[in-house]
Amino acid sequence: MRSKSRSLLWQKIALHAALTPLALIWLFPLWMMFVFSTMPDYGIFSPNIELIPSTHFIENFQNLQADTDFLRAMFISITVAVIYTVLSVMLTSMAGWALARYRFAGRSAVVAIIIGTITLPYAVVVIPQFIMVAREFKLGNTWVALIVPPLFNSLGVLFMRQSFSMMPGELFDAARVEGVKEWQIFLRIALPLARPTMAALSIILFLASWNNYLWPLLINSRPGMMTAPVALGTLIGLTKVSWGGIMAGAVLLTAPILVIFVVLQRHFIAGISAGAVK
């Protein structure tokens, strides 16, 4: 037993020794982003490599705020990401439940179509989607245009379908025998059991909405409706680029995501690994 424990200890030490340099390599660009956000524009392109933060972060943020009204853009991004995540998780959960637990004509074809849509690059559908939303429905520069078009997420549907299909059918049959209605089975039994999967899916969808750049750029032309990534993009001009402001904005965009992932990583890992065990 002692030799086995000693062997496991050395395995852990070797694993940490191998993973620590990889973690440092991954963290180094984030650290340099923070360092650049504290430097003036001319300091970013200095021939000397600076690894210590400077004192110009507040100045860079003030320039960023003056040029883009970045706090408003952050508020829009947070609002859109939260609403989009909640609604998309609800829709994908309902679709996944129907595809996993109900038998109807054409179910296999629907699943095949959903899988097929994952293979399509977003650039194929973005122009028709823009024409439909902006020209046909006249919804440009609105909250609806930012939130509704990307709501149906094929990956989320398949994610939730897999989660619901792994649950024992006898549990739901017993509830039906007791007279529990279908919507109650879904809300009170299925969804609580799928909580880890929903948590992981929520993180994925929130990140997708938070980092979305192309669709908000196309559908909104008013400065007051810009999301944070689009606001950062406006700092890149033809004759001037505010690199200090861009780095400060990138830090402000990255920090909440890191905090969310650190706080919810247990749920994320549990949801991702839930499909590995049946």
Side-chain angles (χ1 to χ4, degrees):
M1 291 297 293
R2 290 182 179 179
S3 60
K4 185 176 181 180
S5 300
R6 191 177 294 110
S7 176
L8 291 175
L9 177 62
W10 282 110
Q11 290 179 6
K12 292 181 180 180
I13 294 175
L15 180 62
H16 282 79
L19 293 181
T20 298
L22 295 177
L24 294 176
I25 292 174
W26 182 85
L27 290 173
F28 183 74
L30 297 178
W31 174 251
M32 292 306 301
M33 177 181 66
F34 173 71
V35 171
F36 288 154
S37 70
T38 64
M39 299 172 62
D41 288 347
Y42 63 84
I44 294 177
F45 295 98
S46 173
N48 300 322
I49 299 178
E50 299 290 342
L51 299 178
I52 306 300
S54 185
T55 59
H56 291 78
F57 181 84
I58 296 178
E59 178 184 346
N60 290 333
F61 174 75
Q62 290 175 344
N63 294 334
L64 172 67
Q65 178 66 18
D67 293 337
T68 64
D69 194 5
F70 194 71
L71 291 180
R72 177 181 175 83
M74 285 280 289
F75 171 77
I76 293 175
S77 288
I78 293 172
T79 305
V80 169
V82 170
I83 297 176
Y84 165 78
T85 301
V86 172
L87 294 180
S88 187
V89 169
M90 290 175 56
L91 289 176
T92 54
S93 297
M94 290 187 288
W97 171 257
L99 293 174
R101 289 300 171 183
Y102 296 144
R103 297 187 178 274
F104 54 89
R107 185 178 69 165
S108 299
V110 172
V111 174
I113 292 174
I114 293 175
I115 295 175
T117 58
I118 298 179
T119 64
L120 292 176
Y122 184 62
V124 174
V125 299
V126 65
I127 298 303
Q129 182 175 282
F130 171 78
I131 294 174
M132 180 178 65
V133 174
R135 189 176 69 183
E136 302 298 332
F137 295 157
K138 310 295 183 183
L139 292 176
N141 297 309
T142 64
W143 290 90
V144 175
L146 279 175
I147 298 172
V148 174
L151 273 182
F152 187 82
N153 186 276
S154 301
L155 180 62
V157 173
L158 298 176
F159 209 48
M160 296 306 300
R161 173 179 173 268
Q162 177 66 18
S163 177
F164 290 133
S165 64
M166 292 169 54
M167 298 178 184
E170 295 81 3
L171 180 64
F172 307 122
D173 293 336
R176 294 186 182 97
V177 170
E178 294 294 330
V180 181
K181 297 180 180 179
E182 289 295 321
W183 66 270
Q184 292 176 325
I185 294 176
F186 173 68
L187 291 178
R188 298 182 180 180
I189 301 177
L191 287 185
L193 292 176
R195 190 175 301 167
T197 305
M198 293 173 63
L201 180 60
S202 297
I203 296 175
I204 295 172
L205 295 177
F206 186 90
L207 288 175
S209 177
W210 184 260
N211 295 323
N212 194 7
Y213 176 80
L214 180 57
W215 178 247
L217 176 67
L218 290 176
I219 202 60
N220 290 317
S221 58
R222 291 190 305 172
M225 287 298 297
M226 288 190 303
T227 58
V230 177
L232 284 184
T234 61
L235 296 178
I236 302 177
L238 295 177
T239 59
K240 178 184 177 182
V241 179
S242 180
W243 292 110
I246 291 176
M247 290 296 102
V251 169
L252 295 176
L253 281 178
T254 305
I257 298 303
L258 292 178
V259 172
I260 290 174
F261 183 79
V262 170
V263 172
L264 300 178
Q265 62 176 328
R266 178 171 59 88
H267 301 284
F268 180 76
I269 295 173
I272 293 295
S273 59
V277 180
K278 184 172 182 180

